[in-house]
Amino acid sequence: MTAIRGATTIPEDSAEEIKKAVKELLEQITSRNNLKQDEILSLVFSNTKDIRSYYPSKAAREAGFESCSLFSAQEPDIDGGLKLCIRVMMFVERNLTPQHVYLRGARMLRKDLADKINIAIDGPAGSGKSTVAKALARDYRILYLDTGAMYRACALKVLKAGVSVEDEAGIVDLMKDVRLDVSYRDGEQRTLLDGVDVSEEIREPSVSMAASTVSKYPSVRMHMTEKQREIAAKMSCVLDGRDIGTFVLPEADFKFYLTATPEVRARRRYDELRAKGFDVNYEELLSGLLRRDEQDSTRKLAPLKKADDAIEIDTSDMTVQEVLTVIRAKIQEVI
Ligand code: DC
């Protein structure tokens, strides 16, 4: 006997989507494993708790799987688990080398079976990129790469060395022996500058503007871009930044461009920094943000810009959950 596994996700909880997804999943499993209907002994389904509209087992019966025994169960609600997911275990009489089938969002469950996926999320400061990127990386269990943190670490090096952020030649010199690494602790990115964890220090408001200035120098950008491309070539990841969709990974599988009004973005930054204990002023944050937008979008190499094929989302009046719902639906339409 052989057990073949399969899983898929649906864009929303409706009887129609469940029926469509179950039919597609079972047809893919049978065709990829060259199976006849009467070889199938049983189908055991499980689904995440957010699927309530229809039994996957009933959908299987309606899809023509008539002679095998069927069973459906609900999975426990796991933090960070995949949403709207249907899994199946198909038992067949014959001994064969099983071809397991993972479709749509569930491809992320078996990264060894699925292709690598890169998701680019660009946009100005405070547009919600990092919150959304982190949540997606958790959902799909792939890496999150905060590229802004890398530019911030470069800026910190410059500030600490007492070199002016306007001194391009001095900065190029300094960058010759910078050691910049990202590592992960409890799923959170840690940014290491010359071997020291600077993840908290780089969030200082003074580092923001310096990062924007330092990032306009081509040699700094190319150094960072190379590192980012290297990471993205090796594994599935969500990258957030300014130029991921246009320059770092123009071939990214998914591209999103988030925006929001400057006032909303400044308010978000204000709340975020206050919560971290920084003594910040809303007006100053707003004007700093506008100066940064201007500098980031007018630099010569890889400016802040929406890629032609990116999906733009204005997050001004949206909650994080609403933004995530739109993005997940777009991703699940394709995979
Ligand atoms: O996302 P952030 O606020 O941490 O980024 C800090 C600065 O780094 C930003 O103002 C411009 C620069 N940056 C960049 O030029 N390209 C990126 N991909 C990410 C950040």
Side-chain angles (χ1 to χ4, degrees), residues 132 258 313 315 318-328:
V132 163
L258 306 190
I313 305 172
T315 69
M318 293 171 86
T319 63
V320 173
Q321 280 317 315
E322 285 167 341
V323 179
L324 279 169
T325 303
V326 173
I327 293 185
R328 283 185 193 122

Side-chain angles (χ1 to χ4, degrees), residues 129 147-148 151-152 203 211-212 215 221 241-244 269 292 296 299:
K129 299 182 307 277
T147 63
Y151 289 100
R152 285 172 179 269
R203 297 293 148 202
S212 169
S215 74
R221 286 212 81 74
R242 304 290 189 286
D243 60 338
I244 309 300
R269 267 293 135 90
R292 211 141 62 94
D296 292 344
R299 67 173 170 241

Side-chain angles (χ1 to χ4, degrees), residues 155-168:
L156 188 66
K157 169 120 184 153
V158 171
L159 295 174
K160 283 195 163 169
V163 173
S164 157
V165 289
E166 297 301 336
D167 177 4
E168 182 173 357

Side-chain angles (χ1 to χ4, degrees), residues 10 80 133 164 172 176 254 318:
I10 53 174
S164 157
V172 170
K176 280 189 187 138
F254 298 97
M318 293 171 86

Side-chain angles (χ1 to χ4, degrees), residues 143-146 149-150 180-193 195-199 227 231 235:
L143 191 90
Y144 162 54
L145 184 64
D146 173 359
M150 298 169 73
L180 191 64
D181 298 294
V182 292
S183 69
Y184 291 83
R185 201 169 70 205
D186 301 331
E188 287 278 320
Q189 175 174 324
R190 309 301 299 178
T191 308
L192 307 179
L193 175 63
V196 179
D197 187 339
V198 292
S199 310
K227 272 192 176 291
I231 294 173
M235 57 194 104

Side-chain angles (χ1 to χ4, degrees), residues 264 268 314-319 322:
V264 168
R268 287 179 187 157
D314 182 343
T315 69
S316 305
D317 299 317
M318 293 171 86
T319 63
E322 285 167 341

